[in-house]
DNA sequence: CAGTGGTCTAGACCACGCT
DNA sequence: GCGTGGTCTAGACCACTGC
């Protein structure tokens, strides 16, 4: 009848401490963190234990190692991260940088389902963004993006439209929100009147519908988005293992 | 002007040796491999080095560890692997075991593109399988599957139809082919006359089209398949990080 | 050349599964 | 209790980067 004590490896505890430090903004995206030996000294464990904690965070894409230089906080502002959350490529296989057109930004009360998905209370607000993405000059993706109102207080259409680069990079700079992970649900749907209008296609054209829920450090749900892609000359990439 | 010698860590070399042993059929899917200490003794390295090699193979889903028991070769015949390569779930979020109906099996000369994707020579043959998958009694997925003719000599419709369970489990048992990894291209398309007939839907209905290329040990391309899913009550799951 | 991450080793001990 | 994988440590040396 003894109490069952859950066994927690030391390196897991170190990992949690590192995530908390990241969450608290102790190290900004793109910046270097202390060396393995420094962290080991701070936490009172061996370098190998810190190493294992960092190994997992690197596997999760939270940190990046550069041999001879140090360990860095992953950032969506880095060139190599540009297509990390953008899996649409041309049928020739090349990833392309889209042009973004913001259609509108507004603050609304979160509907029930959305509130639940973002862990919001009833009557909490969300920011709704509508935009169209152009690839090679063609409107390819029409999407709605919903963000926690409390964490994006000063987000405006002007800010979004003026920013060059991935939206997630803007979120890092202006709102200290770092996207770490996302879950997607993918379907084929027929274009509605609104979708057809925005994408300049016929009503009923098959579209790739992607619902995404994105998380920041510590599995904190921050964003929901609904994208609809024309996949006539582009496709979504996916890897199974 | 000295020759640049590429540095290869020991554990990477051990990893290659383990993959070669798996490729050679030294350990069957689902079976146990020698302990870390035994392998270390065989290869003349420390247990920690073998461990790191196994770590990577576990991350690749090639091997599985079970604490207190040993390290095992991953198999598609295990219950927990049933949905490893089947990412379709109901909109309620539950994974369902499909019923498979084989429509036909035939041997054909590989068309150019297919030959290239499977690293075949001109005039090499492939086995083409057509089937429909039923979820909850409804036809949901119509697919064509092409396999290397040289590795699936005795594959028949009867064998496929009589086998209960994932097709990849059958491949392991009967043909010693273990699927390790796959790449997919996902699009939304309008149902053709043939697709509409097989799935009992109207021509033009949006379908989720998935082209998959699957690889066995050592990046050996073995299979190409084209699936078309009705995503009215089901969706594809995807995780980004 | 100094500092960082990367590899390799050897040994001790813990958690787990089975017998 | 034994054998397995899992954790933790300490130390040595290598590869890479930048001063």
């Amino acid at each position: 009848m003894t109490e069952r004590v859950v066994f927690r490896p030391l390196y897991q505890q170190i990992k949690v401490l590192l995530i908390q430090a990241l969450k608290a903004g102790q190290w900004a995206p793109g910046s270097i963190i202390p060396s393995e030996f420094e962290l080991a000294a701070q936490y009172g464990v061996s370098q190998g234990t810190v190493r294992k904690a960092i190994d997992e965070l690197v596997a999760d894409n939270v940190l990046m190692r550069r041999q001879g230089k140090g360990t860095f906080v992953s950032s969506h502002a880095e060139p190599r991260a540009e297509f990390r959350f953008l899996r649409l490529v041309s049928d020739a296989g090349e990833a392309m940088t889209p042009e973004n057109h913001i259609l509108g930004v507004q603050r609304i009360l979160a509907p029930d389902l959305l509130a639940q998905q973002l862990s919001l209370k009833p009557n909490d607000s969300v920011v709704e963004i509508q935009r169209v993405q152009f690839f090679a000059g063609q409107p390819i993706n029409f999407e709605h993006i919903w963000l926690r109102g409390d964490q994006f207080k000063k987000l405006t259409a002007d800010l979004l439209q003026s920013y060059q680069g991935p939206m997630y990079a803007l979120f890092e700079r202006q709102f200290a929100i770092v996207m770490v992970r996302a879950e997607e649900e993918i379907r084929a749907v027929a274009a509605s009147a609104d979708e057809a209008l925005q994408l300049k296609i016929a009503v009923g054209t098959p579209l790739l519908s992607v619902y995404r829920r994105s998380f920041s450090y510590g599995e904190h749900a921050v964003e929901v988005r609904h994208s609809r892609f024309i996949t006539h000359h582009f496709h979504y990439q996916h890897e199974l293992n």
Side-chain angles (χ1 to χ4, degrees), chain A:
Chain A
M1 292 317 113
T2 57
E3 197 66 23
R4 184 75 187 84
V5 178
V6 177
F7 172 66
R8 289 263 178 255
L10 246 188
Y11 76 87
Q12 293 278 10
Q13 300 175 38
I14 303 297
K15 186 183 175 185
V16 169
L17 291 175
L18 290 172
I19 291 174
Q20 285 175 348
L22 287 164
K23 217 169 169 175
Q26 190 160 342
W27 307 302
S31 67
I32 193 169
I33 72 169
S35 75
E36 295 177 353
F37 277 103
E38 279 181 77
L39 291 170
Q42 280 179 34
Y43 295 129
V45 299
S46 77
Q47 178 248 11
T49 300
V50 169
R51 185 168 189 77
K52 185 146 192 195
I54 292 179
D55 276 345
E56 294 208 348
L57 291 169
V58 168
D60 294 343
N61 255 312
V62 170
L63 297 177
M64 286 180 37
R65 296 182 196 273
R66 287 185 230 163
Q67 187 172 151
K69 299 179 76 173
T71 303
F72 299 78
V73 182
S74 293
S75 168
H76 289 275
E78 292 158 34
R80 49 169 298 170
E82 184 181 354
F83 303 107
R84 184 173 153 202
F85 280 65
L86 178 60
R87 299 301 181 85
L88 198 76
V89 300
S90 76
D91 283 347
E94 53 181 348
M96 305 175 73
T97 302
E99 231 182 282
N100 302 315
H101 286 222
I102 305 296
L103 302 177
V105 175
Q106 54 179 326
R107 290 185 150 60
I108 58 174
L109 286 186
D112 285 355
L113 181 60
L114 193 57
Q116 181 198 318
Q117 289 175 323
L118 294 175
S119 303
L120 295 171
K121 291 187 290 292
N123 290 332
D124 279 353
S125 74
V126 293
V127 180
E128 180 183 272
I129 304 166
Q130 269 183 272
R131 73 169 180 181
V132 174
Q133 285 191 307
F134 290 71
F135 290 76
Q138 299 296 314
I140 296 294
N141 175 25
F142 173 47
E143 58 190 1
H144 287 75
I145 302 170
W146 297 277
L147 302 162
R148 292 179 62 100
D150 55 350
Q151 298 194 274
F152 291 88
K153 287 196 200 302
K154 292 185 179 171
L155 184 60
T156 64
D158 283 349
L159 184 60
L160 281 168
Q161 190 58 76
S162 66
Y163 187 79
Q164 298 302 320
M167 187 180 284
Y168 289 170
L170 171 68
F171 291 175
E172 288 180 4
R173 267 209 216 171
Q174 300 289 324
F175 305 95
I177 301 288
V178 183
M179 295 300 187
V180 169
R181 195 180 75 78
E183 297 169 352
E184 295 190 332
E185 295 183 5
I186 307 178
R187 295 178 183 79
V189 303
S192 68
D194 194 25
E195 292 160 353
L197 184 70
Q198 298 295 346
L199 294 171
K200 302 189 196 309
I201 50 171
V203 171
T205 301
L207 294 176
L208 195 72
S209 159
V210 181
Y211 271 96
R212 174 191 294 182
R213 191 156 157 246
S214 308
F215 302 84
S216 178
Y217 295 132
E219 295 292 291
H220 177 61
V222 173
E223 175 204 65
V224 170
R225 66 167 72 183
H226 181 205
S227 312
R228 282 136 289 181
F229 299 94
I230 302 175
T231 54
H232 195 54
H233 300 297
F234 293 84
H235 62 264
Y236 221 62
Q237 274 187 330
H238 186 209
E239 173 115 1
L240 292 167
N241 65 341

